Amino acid sequence: MNINEIIGIYFSPTGGTKRIVECAIQALAERFGVPCRTLSYTTPADRLQEQHIPSDALVVWGTPVYAGRIPNKTLPFVDQFIRGNGNPMIAIAVYGGRHYDNTLSEMVLKAKQGNMKPIGAAAMVSRHVFSQTLSKGRPSEEDLQQLRNFVNQVQIDRTDDLLVPGEVAPQTYYTPLKQDMQPAKFLKSKPSVDVNLCTRCGQCAEHCTMGSIRMEDGLPQFEGVCIKCQACVFHCSTHAIGIHDEQFLSHIQMLEENIKACRPCEFYG
């Protein structure tokens, strides 16, 4: 088929997945000599934008890994944005070093359900959003060059099914663990703000992926669903926001103590 446009679609609360998707689509744009553009479904404002995927576009879709899967609260937006006309699609799962588990297999399934043709997939390592040290410095320039090399050789007109690791129809999620290796229960925990550090800038509310932060008298009020995406923490320039739940912090310590190996990126296709 003739490729006349490259479209990158992503969910990227702290910018890591966005950076990786942009790297891939820029390499593909150079390969085919066509323009590229992005569609984000990260924030409520992003999800209001009009999206149109022409039948002659090659799609690169990136998502971070949450509990070994596509973040479950984003699935309605996935169904909204991953809709094509038989478009070839490259799936990119971005994870912090533990594992991507069933994410790629779920992405392949969702792409097929959205009438896209998976032709390639990558599991890319990026700094874990819970930790300042876990997978620090990833993706490296070497990682990104491997991604460029991969998308430059992926077969666009493949007719066979793309095979990736994981359950064909994923049902299970990873259970986060505490330092004692018992389940960590922090699903309902939410961020809090240090009023002495807060500058009342409102960046946390603007970047909240679930639209769950309301500003009142200049201070953020954390209401509604929190998916621990760390967007509010990442975009707070004064470090006034954090999640201080003991089980959440114990999970971070477990990750930092047990995930020592520097995982390679993986490519399929």
Side-chain angles (χ1 to χ4, degrees), residues 73-89:
K73 293 297 183 182
T74 71
L75 291 176
F77 318 133
V78 168
D79 292 338
Q80 174 188 349
F81 276 73
I82 305 302
R83 289 289 174 190
N85 298 283
N87 302 75
M89 189 274 292

Side-chain angles (χ1 to χ4, degrees), residues 55-101:
S55 58
D56 57 359
L58 191 164
V59 174
V60 176
W61 171 28
T63 179
V65 175
Y66 286 17
R69 300 264 302 268
I70 299 170
N72 67 332
K73 293 297 183 182
T74 71
L75 291 176
F77 318 133
V78 168
D79 292 338
Q80 174 188 349
F81 276 73
I82 305 302
R83 289 289 174 190
N85 298 283
N87 302 75
M89 189 274 292
I90 298 173
I92 302 180
V94 180
Y95 72 110
R98 186 194 63 79
H99 207 279
Y100 57 91
D101 296 333

Side-chain angles (χ1 to χ4, degrees), residues 16 27 29-30 33 35 58 85 93 95 106 112 139 144 146 150 174 181 186 190 200 217 224 252-253:
E30 292 180 9
L58 191 164
N85 298 283
Y95 72 110
E106 188 174 23
K112 291 179 178 178
L144 296 176
Q146 289 177 353
F150 171 70
Y174 164 75
M181 305 310 285
F186 52 83
K190 295 182 181 181
R200 280 72 169 171
D217 296 329
I252 296 173
Q253 291 174 325

